[in-house]
Amino acid sequence: LEIETNRDGETTVHGLISVEASSFEDVLNVWIQSLKARKQRLAEQNIDFEDYEANCHIISTLKIQSTNTTSGLTTLGKVQFVDLAGSDLVPRRSSGKKVSTPESVGVESEWKFANRSIATFSEVITARSQFHRSVPYRNATITHLLSDSLEADT
């Protein structure tokens, strides 16, 4: 993906589309259509769907515009849903579930990719929590894409 930050400070991804939706049903329909299109594209390229899923992040962004009918004031908001590749491989202290390891996952490169990506995400969170002047948002695509959701008082 080719990403950049524009003059307004917004991170943009070249080739992505924006779809207007006015109801939950519209959002759900777009989501279902996009998943079907992705699965079809992977099949056409002879890429195993499960392998692809294990190695890819999913970020869904909902930009919401609400207008107060009394005052006419418009409010803008954004909600991002993120599924990190390999996040199911990271041990959870509170769960009693068996933890996956590189050996149980089967492919060490998948583990390394997921671990590196999550480690970069962790570096950003650590830098933010310790009030560092320099936060490494651009060290990974995932943190660059989520930078506006990770900065300021979020």
Side-chain angles (χ1 to χ4, degrees):
L1 297 175
E2 185 178 335
I3 62 174
E4 67 182 15
T5 304
N6 65 19
R7 291 182 183 172
D8 298 326
E10 248 184 60
T11 302
T12 59
V13 181
H14 295 278
L16 291 187
I17 60 169
S18 178
V19 179
E20 191 168 323
S22 59
S23 68
F24 175 75
E25 289 77 21
D26 289 348
V27 171
L28 189 57
N29 188 35
V30 168
W31 180 253
I32 290 169
Q33 287 177 7
S34 65
L35 291 178
K36 284 180 182 177
R38 179 178 65 165
K39 198 166 191 175
Q40 180 180 359
R41 179 180 49 84
L42 292 173
E44 289 170 359
Q45 296 174 355
N46 293 325
I47 297 173
D48 183 62
F49 183 74
E50 289 182 19
D51 287 343
Y52 183 83
E53 285 278 304
N55 290 311
C56 295
H57 304 300
I58 297 175
I59 302 173
S60 297
T61 303
L62 296 176
K63 291 184 178 181
I64 302 163
Q65 179 176 330
S66 176
T67 304
N68 184 318
T69 55
T70 306
S71 67
L73 182 66
T74 299
T75 305
L76 302 174
K78 181 165 83 169
V79 178
Q80 291 185 305
F81 299 94
V82 180
D83 180 15
L84 295 175
S87 59
D88 54 327
L89 305 176
V90 176
R92 289 179 178 82
R93 292 180 189 203
S94 62
S95 77
K97 296 180 183 177
K98 185 178 184 265
V99 176
S100 298
T101 64
E103 296 78 26
S104 66
V105 172
V107 181
E108 194 170 328
S109 64
E110 288 179 19
W111 175 266
K112 286 180 182 177
F113 171 78
N115 196 27
R116 179 177 42 109
S117 182
I118 292 171
T120 303
F121 194 80
S122 178
E123 289 172 9
V124 168
I125 300 301
T126 300
R128 292 281 303 124
S129 68
Q130 295 176 357
F131 303 101
H132 290 179
R133 286 181 168 221
S134 177
V135 179
Y137 294 117
R138 294 185 183 208
N139 285 1
T141 302
I142 186 77
T143 52
H144 190 176
L145 288 172
L146 296 174
S147 62
D148 63 335
S149 296
L150 298 171
E151 55 191 21
D153 60 353
T154 58

